[in-house]
Structure formats: structure tokens, C-alpha cells
Amino acid sequence: MQSSPQGRDGIEIQAVYGPDDAAPDLPERLGEPGSFPYTRGVHPSMYTSKPWTMRQYAGFATAAESNRRYRDLLEAGTTGLSVAFDLPTQMGYDSDAPEAAGEVGKVGVAVDSIADMRVLFGGIPLDEVSTSMTINAPAAVLLLLYQLVAEERGIDPARLRGTIQNDILKEYIARGTYIFPPAPSLRLVSDTFAYCAAELPQWNTISISGYHMAEAGATAAQELAFTLADGIEYVNCALAAGLDVDAIAPRLSFFFVARSTILSEVAKFRAARRLWAHIMRDRFGAKDPRSLKLRFHTQTAGVELTAQQPEVNLARVTVQALAAVLGGTQSLHTNAYDEAIALPTDASARLALRTQQVIANETDLCATVDPFAGSFAVEALTDEIEAEALRLIDAVFAHGSVVAAIEEGFQKSEIERSAYETAKRIDSGEQTVVGVNAYVLNGDEVPYKPLKVDPAIEASQVARLVTHRASRDETVLADALDRVKRAATGTDNVLYPLKAALAAGATVGEVCTALAAEWGRYVPTDNW
């Protein structure tokens, strides 16, 4: 049968599907919503009782400016915050470090110390909102600062809800904001698992991310396979550290992209749930049903936004949001239409949120669970993506472990090959991108005025940092940092001395430097 020219990622969509394209054991492969293998969703009622959490990824310039944006978003109806940090913070550098020059506050908010965290969440009820923080190598550090600010206000840490991305493996594969070598990085992740199980029971300790791999060019099957393989590695690390699978698995969450290929994306999300349920039950022997449920956040595809005719991105984001909702996401961030050009303006961020609110309130997608269940096309695509993802997971572990595969460049080379094939299709016109290689305007576009970050922000942030350092007891601080180093060389959970150091006024850069003094900084191998 002839395939559709709109096939992407090696997935060719047939012109017609029929009963023979669905698996003969389809009822068992589907199950009921909220029941194993969770193909139809992790909750029995899904959105019929409560819609997904509507997040907007925001953070830029100073903590005060980001705080204003968060308040505006909450007033506009956002039900969860999602914090973007600037590159120096993501890399564990203070704003006055030489490596931070020119990057302070550019792609997210600069957070150097507890003083910045207080301002960032000033006036926001931390025990009432769910906060997601896109931070990886220093994830534990930012989480502890968040906890310290909450405790200063008398909030019980057990009431704090949210997620830290904390997925260091994908940094080695696709993104590059790592600090430490893989072994101590994974130790920091497992220490975070144990710490949160004891101190922050409602916090999602990791968001295992396929999003960045997809943005780098991964196919749907690659995104799914490499993400779940990373999840397996994290569980292995937790078990090796003596943790019980059912103690940590219910707090694992995932993060995927939603692209414009609706049918393939819906199939990907459904395959992800089914695969993870079998992995946790059959590979790890998990008994708690919560351990088997793949819960995930979705963000619309930044890589598919175009600087040309940016208003067309409104249509793209809407389609991508539909894919996420139809696929059963637990929370969603919709990109602003102008993000291919600059940080979103207040108006464009609000419009992105309104897109979700229209879907939730003006369509009938919340009226029923998994409306595509039983579709010959979607069920066939779900099986196809699941099979290819399983093949790739096996290929990863044929190297011995995820870390070994990373060090041999396996995942990175696979993604780069897919990205190259996509670029060739777009360049040749085989894959249409509206406004780029088709339906192009010839100089008639209305000029767009992007949001600009004030270059004076870096100097003001450095001045705040100098003031903060001057307020500390240096003797107490030095002792606290020494305790961090001793914990790093031993086997004690490093988060407890980290928290004490941050409470004593240590900066993000200082605690990361203390850890790096014992663990080293990672330098990629020649395979990269």
C-alpha cells in the first residue's frame, strides 16, 4: 500500500489502515485507563475529572523580573510554574565567574544564592503551587535553596510539590550542560532520590528527558528509547545505592516533546506508557502500581518554530498541544510564537497559555479518555514505535550500560544521523516547512520587535552577589564547605551538608566548586 509523503522519522503513514494492522491481542495491549499496561492513560478518569497541569516555562534577567512574570502567569490561570535558569547557573558558575561573562540572565534567570531564591519566589505560596525547575548538574543545589526558602516561611517541606529535571545522562548525549563525570553525577542523583524520599515526599526527584534529544534531531523512537534507557540506568543506580525500587519509582517523571506529527506523537506517548510499565514490572519486579505508571510533562517543539513568519508558529503550537493532550500528558508547556527569535514577551507568553485554556475549555477533548484507542492507524503506529524503541534500548545495553554507550558515542551518533536526514529532506523540499521552503513571503513581513534583556543586568547581578558575600560568617561558611568536600569523598548523602552550606550563605558556584575539587570536571572523550 502506498505510504503518505508526510511520514517523518522513518515512520511512513499508510494511506489506509484496517483490522489486519492492529495486533490480535489488542485488548490486552490496551488494558483499561488507569490499569496495567497503562496504554490508555495513568489515571482511570484522565481529564474528565481534572485537566492537565498548565505550565509556562519562564525565567529571564533578574530574580525580581522573573518573579513578576510568574505572578502574571498565575493571575492568568497557570496552574504550575516552570523555571528557566541562565547558562551560568546551569553550569554551576556564579554570575561574576569569567565563564559567565555575557550570559548572565540571557536564557533564564540568574540564581547565585539563597538571596536570589527568596526574591524569585517572593509572594508566591510555595505550598500551593507546583514548581518545575529545568536544572540538571546542580539540580540538588537549586532544590535545596527552594526548600530553605520554604522553611524560612514556616512551610513544611512535606507539602512542597514539583520537579527538578536532574537528568544528567541526557546532558552527555544531547545538551552539554554537565559539570562532573558520569559516576559522581549519578551518585548525586541517587543521593537526591534518597534525600527526597526522607525529606520531600511529594517532590518528583527527576524528570527524565527525551525533549532535548528530540530537539537535537532524535526520531520519535530514538527519543523514546534513549529516554527509557536512561530511566533504567537511574533505577539501577538507586538499587545499587541500597534503595528499594518501590520507594523511588513513584517519584520518577518524564519529559517529552510534542511535535506537529499528531498521529506519530500520540502513538509515541501511548507506547512510552506501555513500555515503562513492562520495564518496571518485568525487569525490576516493582510491585506498587504507582511504580509502573509513566507520568510525563510535555513541551511543544521549539525546534519546529520558525523565525520566518513567526505568527504561523501559533498554528504549530496549537497542533503540537493537541498531540500532547490526545497522548495523555500530565502537564504541558506551550511555547510562545516568538521564541524562535527571542525570549517571549508578556503578551506572547499569555497567548501561549490561552492556547491550552481553549483546548481544555472550548473543545470536547476532556470529555473522554484516550479517544484514539482502537484506531487502526494509531494502534499500528503505537506497535511500530514500541518495537523500534525496544530494538534501540537493546542496542544501548549491548554496550554494557547507558554510560558506556554514551562514552562510545552511540546515542549521539544515532541522533546526529537522524538530524542530518531531516535537514536533507527540508533542504530538498521533500519535507515542507511553511514559510521556510514553501509559501515564502518576499519582504512583505511585518517587522517583529523582540524582548530585549538589558545588558546592565549582569553588573547589577554581580553587585547583588558582592553584597550577599559580604553578609556571611566566613568561618561558618568555610567549615560548611569543608563538610561538603568530606561528604563527596565518602559515602554519606551529600545533600545534607550541601543544605547546611547553602543555609550558611554559600553560593551555587562555591558548592559546585567544592564538589568539583573532589570529583573533577568532565571532559568528553574523542568519541564525541
Side-chain angles (χ1 to χ4, degrees):
M1 182 173 291
Q2 185 177 6
S3 296
S4 165
Q6 293 302 314
R8 299 281 195 271
D9 298 344
I11 301 172
E12 295 297 334
I13 310 295
Q14 296 177 187
V16 176
Y17 287 88
D20 292 342
D21 295 301
D25 58 343
L26 182 58
E28 291 74 25
R29 294 174 68 77
L30 281 175
E32 294 296 324
S35 300
F36 187 87
Y38 304 102
T39 311
R40 302 200 62 193
V42 293
H43 303 303
S45 59
M46 289 303 288
Y47 310 140
T48 62
S49 58
K50 182 182 179 181
W52 60 93
T53 299
M54 299 180 192
R55 298 189 186 277
Q56 285 306 110
Y57 184 52
F60 67 100
T62 65
E65 289 189 68
S66 293
N67 176 264
R68 179 183 59 79
R69 176 67 64 85
Y70 297 155
R71 288 168 174 264
D72 289 345
L73 288 169
L74 289 170
E75 288 178 7
T78 296
T79 53
L81 298 176
S82 188
V83 184
F85 296 95
D86 71 357
L87 279 175
T89 305
Q90 292 181 48
M91 297 294 293
Y93 292 117
D94 288 334
S95 294
D96 60 351
E99 294 87 349
E103 291 294 338
V104 175
K106 288 291 179 66
V107 299
V109 62
V111 174
D112 291 316
S113 70
I114 191 170
D116 292 324
M117 191 64 86
R118 291 182 186 121
V119 174
L120 184 62
F121 289 102
I124 295 173
L126 300 186
D127 52 347
E128 296 177 16
V129 301
S130 170
T131 302
S132 172
M133 293 190 277
T134 302
I135 193 74
N136 295 285
V141 178
L142 275 299
L143 173 60
L144 292 169
L145 288 174
Y146 188 87
Q147 180 186 357
L148 284 167
V149 168
E151 288 177 341
E152 286 179 346
R153 299 185 195 171
I155 297 171
D156 183 352
R159 297 184 63 187
L160 297 178
R161 295 178 296 111
T163 304
I164 41 174
Q165 194 164 104
N166 200 27
D167 176 6
I168 199 61
L169 291 174
K170 67 96 173 48
E171 297 295 326
Y172 302 117
I173 294 171
R175 194 162 175 267
T177 60
Y178 41 73
I179 301 174
F180 316 113
S185 292
L186 289 171
R187 182 256 178 105
L188 189 55
V189 170
S190 60
D191 278 359
T192 303
F193 288 171
Y195 178 86
C196 289
E199 309 290 341
L200 298 162
Q202 292 197 73
W203 199 270
N204 295 317
T205 49
I206 193 168
S207 175
I208 307 165
S209 176
Y211 181 90
H212 303 90
M213 290 185 264
E215 293 283 279
T219 66
Q222 287 171 342
E223 177 194 5
L224 182 51
F226 298 153
T227 304
L228 297 191
D230 287 354
I232 292 169
E233 189 86 342
Y234 290 126
V235 175
N236 282 332
C237 289
L239 296 180
L243 300 175
D244 178 76
V245 65
D246 284 320
I248 57 100
R251 302 317 315 170
L252 304 179
S253 65
F254 292 80
F255 176 23
F256 295 115
V257 77
R259 292 175 287 197
S260 299
T261 45
I262 291 180
L263 298 181
S264 300
E265 292 297 276
V266 170
K268 177 187 75 179
F269 297 135
R270 299 170 85 252
R273 283 192 292 269
R274 190 158 69 207
L275 275 169
W276 188 246
H278 280 284
I279 287 168
M280 294 308 297
R281 187 192 70 175
D282 303 338
R283 188 179 190 124
F284 292 110
K287 300 292 192 298
D288 188 336
R290 297 175 302 162
S291 299
L292 313 183
K293 296 180 180 181
L294 181 141
R295 298 166 300 113
F296 65 97
H297 169 69
T298 312
Q299 182 173 338
T300 55
V303 74
E304 292 189 345
L305 300 178
T306 65
Q308 301 92 329
Q309 301 180 43
E311 65 278 4
V312 178
N313 292 328
L314 290 167
R316 293 188 177 99
V317 169
T318 302
V319 168
Q320 292 160 6
L322 286 170
V325 171
L326 288 165
T329 192
Q330 276 62 70
S331 73
L332 175 62
H333 164 79
T334 35
N335 291 325
Y337 75 91
D338 50 358
E339 287 190 53
I341 303 170
L343 290 168
T345 63
D346 286 349
S348 64
R350 185 168 54 250
L351 184 57
L353 173 61
R354 294 287 184 253
T355 302
Q356 295 197 52
Q357 291 167 334
V358 167
I359 293 172
N361 295 284
E362 297 187 22
T363 76
D364 54 5
L365 292 185
C366 292
T368 188
V369 178
D370 191 23
F372 276 151
S375 158
F376 300 136
V378 169
E379 298 299 353
L381 289 170
T382 301
D383 291 348
E384 181 180 345
I385 292 174
E386 180 183 23
E388 176 61 10
L390 276 172
R391 185 191 70 79
L392 286 167
I393 290 171
D394 289 342
V396 168
F397 286 102
H399 294 265
S401 69
V402 170
V403 172
I406 288 171
E407 292 179 337
E408 293 173 29
F410 172 69
Q411 298 97 318
K412 194 168 186 287
S413 63
E414 290 289 304
I415 292 169
E416 287 174 346
R417 187 177 303 112
S418 298
Y420 175 65
E421 292 299 323
T422 298
K424 283 201 306 182
R425 289 197 303 270
I426 293 172
D427 288 346
S428 68
E430 179 186 352
Q431 182 170 324
T432 298
V433 181
V434 173
V436 175
N437 63 3
Y439 313 107
V440 178
L441 295 178
N442 296 313
D444 296 328
E445 294 188 62
V446 177
Y448 172 78
K449 294 182 180 180
L451 176 71
K452 292 185 178 180
V453 176
D454 186 347
I457 282 171
E458 184 166 330
S460 66
Q461 180 66 18
V462 169
R464 280 178 50 79
L465 183 56
V466 170
T467 300
H468 170 74
R469 288 195 181 117
S471 69
R472 308 178 303 186
D473 184 321
E474 293 299 326
T475 301
V476 172
L477 176 65
D479 180 66
L481 290 173
D482 187 57
R483 291 175 184 272
V484 170
K485 292 179 181 179
R486 291 203 300 270
T489 57
T491 58
D492 290 345
N493 190 313
V494 76
L495 268 72
Y496 290 96
L498 275 176
K499 184 184 179 190
L502 294 167
T507 66
V508 172
E510 287 167 343
V511 295
C512 288
T513 297
L515 292 173
E518 309 303 324
W519 291 345
R521 290 186 178 269
Y522 185 63
V523 178
T525 66
D526 292 339
N527 290 319
W528 289 46

